[in-house]
Each structure stands twice: as C-alpha cells, then as structure tokens.
Amino acid sequence: MKYVPVLFGLAIFLILPVVVDSYFLTILISIFYYAYLSSCWNILGGYAGQLSLGHAAFFGIGAYTSSLLFMKWQITPWLGMWVGALLATVFALFMGSLSFRFGLRGFYFVLITWAFAELLRLITLSLDVLGGPTGIYISVHTSPWQFQFSGRGPYYYIILGLTIFILIISHKLEASKPGFYFKAIRENELAAEGSGVATARYKLLALALSAFLTALGGTFYAQYLKYIDPETTLGVSLSIEIMIRALVGGSGTPFGPLIGSFILTPLSELSRTYFTKGGLEGLPLIIYGAVLIFIVLFLPQGVATWMKEKIAGYKNR
Amino acid sequence: MTSLLLQAIASGFLMGGVYGLMATGLTLIFGVMKVVNLAHGEMMMLGMAISYWLFTLAGIDPYLSIPVSIFLLFLLGFFIQRFLINPILHASEHMQILVTLGVSLILANSALLLWGPNIRSVTTSYSLETLWIGEIVLDLPRVVAFLFALFFTFLLYLLLKKTELGKAIRASADNPEAALLVGIEVNRIYPISFGIGAACVGASGSLIIPFYDLTPHVGPPFTMVAFTIIILGGMGSLSGALIGGLLVGVAESVGAILLSSSLKSVASTTLLVLVLLFKPRGLFGK
Amino acid sequence: MSLLEVHRLTKSFGGLKAVADVDLWVDKGEIVGVIGPNGAGKTTLFSLISGYLTPDEGEISFKGLSLMGRTPHEICQLGLARTFQIVQPFPNLTTFENVLIGAFNRTRGVPEARLRASEILKSIGLFEKRGFLAKTLTISDRKRLEMARALATQPDLLLLDEVLAGLNPTEVEWMIQFIRKIREQGITILIIEHVLKAVMSLSDRIVVLHHGEKIADGSPEMVSRDKRVIEAYLGEVL
Ligand SMILES: Nc1ncnc2c1ncn2[C@@H]1O[C@H](COP(=O)(O)OP(=O)(O)O)[C@@H](O)[C@H]1O
Ligand SMILES: [Mg+2]
C-alpha cells in the first residue's frame, strides 16, 4: 500500500518523455540532475552534518577525468566515469583526512572545502593539458557505447535512473547503522564518540560516498552537454546550486533534495531563459539568495519537513 | 631578483594595510556576536562601486566619497543584522552561514543586474603617479590607501577604547549576559557593531578603487583573504587583524611573483588552506 | 588485577592542577563513589579515564589493557561508558534513536540493536516517550536518557557524573534503586555525586578528591569520620 503513490509517480515519470516537448524534457532532465547531485551532497551535508561548499570539486574531477580519457585515449565514458569517481574519492579522502585530523568542523570545514575546490579550479584554469580556460569540447560519436545518444530521451532515463538509485541509497541509509551514526555525528559529536561511534572514520565514509556519487554526475553532465570548462564544472556557484536544493527541500531527509530541485530548478531554468535574454542576468541568483534567506528564517527544517508536519496535522484533526 | 622581491614586499605591505582594515570589520562582527559574514567580500565590492559611480557620474574624487561609503555600508550592515541576523543569532552556525551566503548572492548579482559584468576602473589624475624610495617604486594611490587604512583602523581603535559606545561594544563581546546586567542594551549594540564592521570594509573598497578593477564578482576572493587574515590573527582580535592583514598582503604579493601573477589567487587560497590546517586558532593562539 | 586501575594520574590546565597524582582502582561488581567540593577535579578525572582528555602523566588500564592513547569510542567499545554532567543528547533525534545509537556499540545488526534499545527504554521508564525528540524532554528525562544511552552500549564499567543532580526526592530515590539494579546485572559503577547522603548509602567505597588530590579512600563510615574530608567540606553543607 505504502508504495502505491511511489509507483504511480514513477509510472508518470517513465511515460513523460513520450508526451512532452523537448524544452520541457530539458527542464525535467535538469530537475533530476540537480536532485541527484543534491542528494549526493545530502549524505555528507544533510545526514552527517558536514556542510560542504566544495562539491564542485568532486563533480569536476568526474567530468574532467572521463572527458580527458575519452578525448585523449578514446576510453569510453562508461568506463571513465568509474575512474573519475575513484579519483574524486581519493581527493575527498585526502582533503577529509587532513581537515578532520586537524579537527576542522562547522564553519572551518565550509571554508576548507571551498578553498580546496577553488584551488582545483585555479589549477585547471592554468593548465593547458586540462584545456585551460576554454575547457574541453567532447567530439560527437553518437553511439550508446560512447555514452552518447541522439535526442534527449536516453539522457532523461539515465538521470532518472541515477536519481532513483540515490533515493534508494538514502532510504536504506535512514534505517542503517551508518545512517544513524552519521546523524549522531551531526547532532553531537562529543556524545557520538562516547556512544562508541568512530566519528573520524564515519565522517570520512560519508565524504567518500558523497564524492564518489557526485563524480558520476559530473560524467553525465559532460556527456550530456559535450562541453566542460573550469567555471561551470568547478566553480563555487555549482557548489552553491548543489547545496541549496537540499537545504530548501530539507537536508537530512531522503526526499528533501528532490523536492528542493522541483522548486528551484524550474525557477532557475525559466528565469535563465527569460531574464538572461532581457539582459537580467543576475536575477536568478538574486532570487536564490532571497529564497535561501527566507527558508532559514521561516522554514529552517526545509520544505519536506514542513510538508510532513502539515500532513500529520491534517491527519490528527 | 632581490629588487623585484623587495618591490613585491613593499606593495604587498601597502595592500596589507587595506586588508587589515577590511579584516578588522570582519573580526569585529565575529568578535561581538560570533557571526561569520560570508558577504564580506561583496560589501567590499559595494564600497568600490559607490566610489566608482560617484566618480563616474558626478566626478567626485574617490577619496572624497569615502564618507558616503562608510555611511551607506553602515546602514546596510545595521539593517542586515537587525532583520536577518538577529532572529537567528542563537540558532546553529549553519544558519548564519546560509543567511550571509544568501546576502552575498543578492549583493553580487544585484550589481550584475544593475551594471553588467564589465570590468570597470577609475582613472584619476594621480592614478599613475609613483614614489621612489631607493630602488623601490610605489604607486601613489597604494601609499595613500595604506595611510588612510591605518588612520581608520586607529580611529576604530579609539572608538572602541575611549568612547561609551566602544565600551558597550567591548562589554557585549566579552560577556553578553554581564553586559545586560549592567544595563547595556546588547540588542542595540549588535546592529551598530555589524554596521561598523560593514563600514570598515566599505571604506576599504573606496580606498582601493583608484587602483583595483571593479566587477560584480570581485567579492569572493576578498572574503577568502579576510577569513585567512582573521583566522591567522585570531578570530575576534583587532590587533591580530591588522598584523594578519600585513602578513597576508606580503605573502600574497610575494607568492604572485614566484608563481606568475595569473596565479595570485592560488597563493592566497593555498595560504587559507595552510592556515586552516596548521594555525586554525591563529598565530598567537595555542 | 582490578577492573580499572589508575596510577599517578595528573592533568593541569595552565597553572592549575585539576587532577594531581591520583591513584584509583575499581574492582568488578563494586559501586565506588567519587565525592569532593566543586572544582575538585572529579569531572576531569572522568574525562581522562574515558579518553576525552589526555593525561600529562600517569597510567590508566581497564581489564588489564592500557587506555593511554585510545580515543573515546575505542574505550567505549572496550566496555567503558560514561554519562556527562551536562547532558549531551542528540537533540533532533527521538528518544528511541538516541538510545539506538548507543545500542549499536556491541551488537550486530539493526534488529538486535532495536530490541536492546526498547528493553533499556522500558527498564528506565522512557518507553512511552520513545517518539519524542530529545530536545523536548524535561531535564529529569534527559538525565535518564543520558543514562539509557550509556547503558545501551553494554558497558562493563559505567561512569556516572552527577546523575542525581536536579532531580526531586522521589526521582532521586527511584534512580538510586535503578543504579542498584544495574549493578545486580553485573555492571560495575563509578559514580560522582554531590548529594552526599545518596552516595553514602549507595557506594561500597568512597574516594574523596580535593584540589585535584585524593585525600581519602575507604568505606562510607570511615570517610565521613576522616578529619581532612570534614575540613575540605567545611563551608559546604554536609
Ligand atoms: N577544559 C578546561 N580548561 C581549563 N580549566 C578546566 C577545564 N576543565 C576543568 N577545568 C578546571 O579544573 C578544575 C576541576 O574541574 P572539574 O573537574 O570540572 O571539577 P568537578 O567536576 O570536581 O566540579 C576546575 O577548577 C575547573 O575550572
Ligand atoms: Mg563536575
């Protein structure tokens, strides 16, 4: 019974590409793409409570690795994505073990993740082998074996699949020992240690998992747009885009990032289409900033939690 | 090479004075109410923009528009604290980070919306004037900025040490409960302190506009530098901010000549990482 | 060999010696009380034993294993749990989840841990409030929760830091009975207490700290007649 609405929703999203036009499909892809990335962030930032402002780094490593492997050695991105994910994990573990060893938490962790991602962007910007400021164009070999498809439909199904996959992971995490340990660390690290939680190890686990999955999203992006550059794939604005959806929707809840993406992504896609043409470039991000402040001041637990409480309120009446 | 190095040290030192003033604003805000202001760089951008526009539209010399920057940023800081920060003063640190991040997005992108992404600069009659000290050549605007920055830092110091308001601010920073008990209205001190912090960074912006290009996205590197400085100098320490500012100014400009100037930001970002890892409690902390 | 052996333990904060040269042992099955005026170093002693602070000098061993250099979670996994004087709940998790997190310590698998958490909540009288968020509990319930979570880790030795403080007389009486009960289940207890009457009736042995030093160690009767103890407590209500 519980799964009926879920299955119903799933059926709708499976059929949608057949009935909607290509612009609408683009928006749907964006929604799931950000929902996926934000859910990856949610493992670390939401469940384990380690606010990262550097997820663009993991994303960028994924995008650049698979793209470079493909362009230089014709290695299919289906393979390259795993290499990228592993590299991102190694980078995350390096960054994490340094910062956790030195006891960086809270705001200091925000700063160091931001700084590490920024370093990666600056280095990529200055290295010609990585494409420098122009970035990398991925040549077109439309073939499923090369992670390239004609039309948007297949990309839609891939990102939908990834999103479902991460939702299942989040759902499983909710009721598992690592999931509870993550939450314990978020809520009170001192008490977590005292309850037998190896906090340093579990923080690294959350970070590694989050980075690995985020990097897969990077490869998807590169193959979908066939172009990557340091600003869009490694810049702090991407990190913000990823983080803000989870926070608006409800961080530390399985569906929060998805809900956040359904609210924010159409907003930003539509405003990008309409405002940027009219010379109103800054407007989407102004709206973002305002939404962020509004959420913190009025719905600090996020929309998902607020909706849950509303629904519970109705049932109790 | 040595003269190049001396040159870099000298100009870094001058910029460091301005950094010091900018970071003093940040450390004051943190010291008084334990709030981390991620919009600090954007406030710097606003200070630059105010002087830029007054110069471009009305021909007012940037140094004459400093009081305008100070006044407007004081108001901005005051109201940001009053309406956005105050309600969440005792909430988790995450929330402060998100609110100030929201403010930074709004400020930077309002600038983008209002006057576009172009790089803008102010050219005054003295923009290219220089001073020779032995073998070292110093840009006049940088020297002036440095002196003004020291002067403002000194004024702030006097304000905090000698006036009733300053005593109230320091008392609220040390122990808000005790301050309340002796009749200080902490809730009125907070917005004023935030305003003063913002005014410091506004003045810094006006000081650098004669030699530093303005873009809507000039803020984040300044935020990063400001945090590097106050962590290095000890969060909340005024003298630490000044010393940290000078150190970071020099380190950045020496790093830039060693790394080539396109990598100037690499130097300051690396510095932030190193400071976070090895001196998170500051040079003088344990 | 005693269950816990502390040898010449010393810890200073700046110039202040919070714990000075303390020797202490706890045998299996005992209830040992630690008393002393405010600031005597009792909590610091607990933090040293449980791995939250590193001693300047001295040795700590538990079940014959040295605890030096071990982190708090490792020590907890060895079977030594503590409560905090200032309770440390996971505020936005439910009472049940708070205890469940402790219960993962020495159990395999989620079902077993859930079972254990339920049992403990029932025995400590918090089962009806299992769905409440910890931050919404009253202070006396939070004290219980603190104890429940420590118990859930299945300790062999339990360090209790002022669990009676802030409770009303009925609650104090209930808690004393409860502590006796868990001792009967085979858990050894080292308890810091300010309510002297309670700790005297509860403990097999009392250790007295004053200015970081151990000034007495013996049966409750012996300690309460000790001249140095009485002097230390002068000005405080005995
Ligand atoms: N982390 C710390 N830093 C500095 N001083 C401390 C710290 N913890 C405790 N102290 C000092 O050590 C002494 C002993 O404190 P504590 O162990 O809490 O005493 P008790 O629990 O017996 O009341 C006190 O003077 C206290 O101020
Ligand atoms: Mg104590």
Side-chain angles (χ1 to χ4, degrees):
Chain A
M1 251 338 268
K2 209 172 94 184
Y3 291 105
V4 170
V6 176
L7 290 177
F8 185 68
L10 194 60
I12 289 184
F13 285 115
L14 282 173
I15 300 168
L16 264 182
V18 187
V19 292
V20 300
D21 67 4
S22 125
Y23 178 65
F24 199 88
L25 194 58
T26 313
I27 293 185
L28 276 177
I29 292 175
S30 283
I31 291 175
F32 285 117
Y33 157 76
Y34 279 118
Y36 172 75
L37 292 177
S38 189
S39 302
C40 297
W41 181 92
N42 195 34
I43 295 175
L44 178 69
Y47 287 109
Q50 309 297 309
L51 221 60
S52 151
L53 198 49
H55 260 54
F58 313 137
F59 178 90
I61 292 176
Y64 269 88
T65 308
S66 64
S67 302
L68 284 169
L69 287 177
F70 181 62
M71 293 308 288
K72 291 213 183 327
W73 293 289
Q74 287 79 47
I75 296 172
T76 167
W78 287 118
L79 213 71
M81 66 195 277
W82 304 107
V83 182
L86 281 179
L87 280 181
T89 311
V90 170
F91 179 77
L93 288 175
F94 168 71
M95 183 182 90
S97 49
L98 273 178
S99 6
F100 297 142
R101 147 116 46 114
F102 289 93
L104 299 184
R105 57 173 65 104
F107 178 61
Y108 290 86
F109 188 72
V110 173
L111 275 186
I112 198 141
T113 49
W114 178 26
F116 266 110
E118 201 49 21
L119 273 182
L120 218 53
R121 181 181 73 86
L122 292 166
I123 291 167
T124 310
L125 209 53
S126 67
L127 288 182
D128 287 337
V129 280
L130 300 180
T134 36
I136 302 173
Y137 285 92
I138 291 145
S139 52
V140 179
H141 302 266
T142 308
S143 145
W145 300 110
Q146 307 297 342
F147 204 136
Q148 293 192 9
F149 308 94
S150 56
R152 297 206 154 81
Y155 290 103
Y156 172 80
Y157 286 113
I158 290 175
I159 197 65
L160 181 66
L162 276 174
T163 307
I164 293 170
F165 170 67
I166 190 100
L167 286 177
I168 294 173
I169 290 190
S170 306
H171 187 70
K172 292 265 177 230
L173 200 61
E174 283 266 296
S176 70
K177 175 169 160 177
F180 279 111
Y181 274 18
F182 290 167
K183 290 186 213 170
I185 291 168
R186 174 189 73 203
E187 291 294 317
N188 187 339
E189 219 174 308
L190 188 87
E193 268 285 325
S195 311
V197 181
T199 52
R201 203 172 325 141
Y202 276 92
K203 280 199 275 188
L204 283 180
L205 177 66
L207 180 57
L209 194 61
S210 185
F212 187 93
L213 295 167
T214 304
L216 298 181
T219 300
F220 172 83
Y221 172 88
Q223 294 306 113
Y224 176 52
L225 286 188
K226 303 197 179 53
Y227 170 64
I228 53 177
D229 70 14
E231 199 48 56
T232 45
T233 42
L234 287 162
V236 68
S237 6
L238 176 63
S239 297
I240 294 175
E241 295 272 11
I242 294 175
M243 176 176 85
I244 191 175
R245 282 172 174 73
L247 294 164
V248 167
S251 69
T253 63
F255 290 105
L258 183 69
I259 294 173
S261 191
F262 264 97
I263 296 170
L264 287 184
T265 312
L267 199 72
S268 85
E269 289 289 328
L270 291 175
S271 56
R272 216 192 314 268
T273 319
Y274 294 108
F275 295 147
T276 316
K277 274 188 207 142
L280 300 175
E281 279 173 87
L283 208 53
L285 285 170
I286 295 177
I287 297 173
Y288 267 34
V291 168
L292 197 55
I293 293 172
F294 175 85
I295 289 284
V296 172
L297 293 183
F298 301 105
L299 293 177
Q301 306 297 325
V303 175
T305 315
W306 175 74
M307 279 170 29
K308 212 166 136 188
E309 279 164 9
K310 283 278 156 200
I311 291 168
Y314 267 110
K315 282 186 182 159
N316 287 344
R317 269 205 307 211
Chain B
M1 186 66 203
T2 46
S3 77
L4 197 63
L5 196 65
L6 276 179
Q7 181 72 50
I9 292 174
S11 80
F13 193 78
L14 293 181
M15 189 63 183
V18 181
Y19 280 171
L21 177 60
M22 168 182 87
T24 300
L26 189 64
T27 212
L28 181 72
I29 292 171
F30 180 84
V32 174
M33 60 209 110
K34 302 289 172 286
V35 167
V36 286
N37 178 24
L38 278 179
H40 211 67
E42 279 69 25
M43 293 181 169
M44 181 91 166
M45 183 271 294
L46 280 189
M48 295 170 75
I50 289 166
S51 290
Y52 172 84
W53 286 111
L54 285 175
F55 177 81
T56 309
L57 297 179
I60 297 171
D61 188 275
Y63 297 128
L64 294 179
S65 60
I66 295 174
V68 184
S69 278
I70 289 182
F71 177 69
L72 290 179
L73 272 122
F74 176 84
L75 285 186
L76 179 75
F78 186 93
F79 286 111
I80 287 178
Q81 203 291 334
R82 182 73 187 68
F83 293 109
L84 304 182
I85 308 285
N86 215 34
I88 53 158
L89 211 48
H90 303 290
S92 74
E93 190 186 48
H94 282 182
M95 296 196 167
Q96 300 168 5
I97 293 171
L98 297 178
V99 166
T100 57
L101 189 64
V103 171
S104 82
L105 286 176
I106 292 176
L107 293 181
N109 291 287
S110 302
L112 183 64
L113 183 67
L114 291 175
W115 60 80
N118 298 347
I119 295 175
R120 294 166 184 273
S121 57
V122 162
T123 315
T124 55
S125 54
Y126 48 80
S127 275
L128 297 174
E129 301 232 352
T130 52
L131 268 162
W132 286 87
I133 298 177
E135 282 183 34
I136 303 169
V137 54
L138 300 173
D139 302 335
L140 185 63
R142 286 179 188 264
V143 177
V144 176
F146 176 78
L147 295 175
F148 261 118
L150 286 195
F151 173 66
F152 284 128
T153 311
F154 179 68
L155 276 189
L156 180 71
Y157 186 79
L158 282 186
L159 172 85
L160 288 174
K161 290 280 160 170
K162 300 288 178 206
T163 66
E164 282 304 311
L165 175 66
K167 283 176 192 154
I169 290 177
R170 282 186 296 135
S172 315
D174 284 346
N175 187 340
E177 285 84 30
L180 271 175
L181 283 181
V182 298
I184 296 170
E185 290 179 68
V186 173
N187 270 335
R188 295 197 20 202
I189 295 298
Y190 282 168
I192 294 174
S193 310
F194 207 110
I196 295 175
C200 288
V201 65
S204 313
S206 293
L207 287 174
I208 63 167
I209 191 68
F211 59 90
Y212 206 104
D213 292 341
L214 167 68
T215 75
H217 295 300
V218 78
F222 282 123
T223 306
M224 220 177 237
V225 166
F227 277 109
T228 311
I229 293 168
I230 72 165
I231 294 169
L232 201 60
M235 303 274 279
S237 153
L238 292 180
S239 51
L242 185 58
I243 297 168
L246 295 172
L247 277 177
V248 170
V250 170
E252 192 183 72
S253 91
V254 170
I257 61 160
L258 296 180
L259 283 168
S260 93
S261 71
S262 68
L263 289 178
K264 177 169 155 261
S265 305
V266 172
S268 48
T269 314
T270 310
L271 197 63
L272 174 59
V273 170
L274 295 178
V275 167
L276 279 170
L277 293 179
F278 297 105
K279 282 280 163 208
R281 279 173 205 83
L283 275 181
F284 317 108
K286 56 169 177 145
Chain C
M1 183 189 78
S2 301
L3 183 64
L4 177 75
E5 291 179 5
V6 171
H7 186 56
R8 309 207 61 168
L9 201 63
T10 300
K11 177 75 184 177
S12 307
F13 296 116
L16 174 93
K17 273 201 174 176
V19 170
D21 225 9
V22 168
D23 280 307
L24 178 81
W25 66 96
V26 180
D27 285 321
K28 201 165 164 19
E30 269 191 309
I31 296 184
V32 176
V34 179
I35 64 170
N38 256 329
K42 306 180 295 290
T43 298
T44 307
L45 176 68
F46 270 24
S47 296
L48 290 166
I49 296 174
S50 54
Y52 281 94
L53 291 173
T54 325
D56 300 335
E57 278 164 53
E59 249 304 313
I60 307 167
S61 66
F62 176 62
K63 295 177 176 172
L65 298 168
S66 170
L67 295 188
M68 309 306 287
R70 290 187 205 258
T71 58
H73 74 264
E74 287 168 342
I75 292 172
C76 178
Q77 285 165 4
L78 284 175
L80 193 163
R82 76 171 287 188
T83 67
F84 290 90
Q85 180 176 358
I86 299 159
V87 289
Q88 300 285 345
F90 303 119
N92 297 302
L93 301 185
T94 64
T95 303
F96 182 76
E97 290 168 331
N98 267 264
V99 181
L100 181 65
I101 285 162
F104 282 121
N105 188 44
R106 292 171 112 188
T107 47
R108 260 169 293 124
V110 179
E112 192 186 333
R114 297 187 77 94
L115 205 67
R116 175 147 186 90
S118 299
E119 277 169 14
I120 287 177
L121 283 173
K122 278 177 195 153
S123 74
I124 210 165
L126 276 178
F127 192 69
E128 274 65 48
K129 297 186 180 156
R130 64 189 179 280
F132 290 25
L133 293 187
K135 64 179 176 193
T136 64
L137 294 179
T138 63
I139 188 69
S140 79
D141 282 344
R142 277 188 228 190
K143 291 250 163 184
R144 287 186 203 208
L145 178 62
E146 184 78 10
M147 235 175 120
R149 196 186 59 218
L151 272 177
T153 67
Q154 306 199 38
D156 301 302
L157 175 63
L158 183 58
L159 311 188
L160 300 174
D161 195 347
E162 304 209 13
V163 285
L164 303 181
L167 302 187
N168 69 34
T170 1
E171 290 165 343
V172 168
E173 196 44 47
W174 187 91
M175 195 59 115
I176 288 175
Q177 293 309 328
F178 185 75
I179 294 170
R180 290 215 170 97
K181 217 163 68 191
I182 56 180
R183 188 255 291 269
E184 274 154 30
Q185 291 164 11
I187 298 174
T188 308
I189 288 163
L190 185 62
I191 177 172
I192 293 177
E193 204 34 81
H194 225 72
V195 188
L196 285 186
K197 202 171 124 259
V199 78
M200 292 286 180
S201 77
L202 194 60
S203 310
D204 305 318
R205 193 152 58 80
I206 303 271
V207 170
V208 188
L209 291 186
H210 187 43
H211 293 317
E213 289 176 45
K214 186 168 95 169
I215 58 169
D217 186 340
S219 68
E221 301 76 46
M222 234 171 80
V223 166
S224 57
R225 272 186 270 111
D226 188 296
K227 235 183 92 206
R228 291 180 66 190
V229 175
I230 294 167
E231 268 168 24
Y233 269 91
L234 270 184
E236 292 227 5
V237 213
L238 239 182

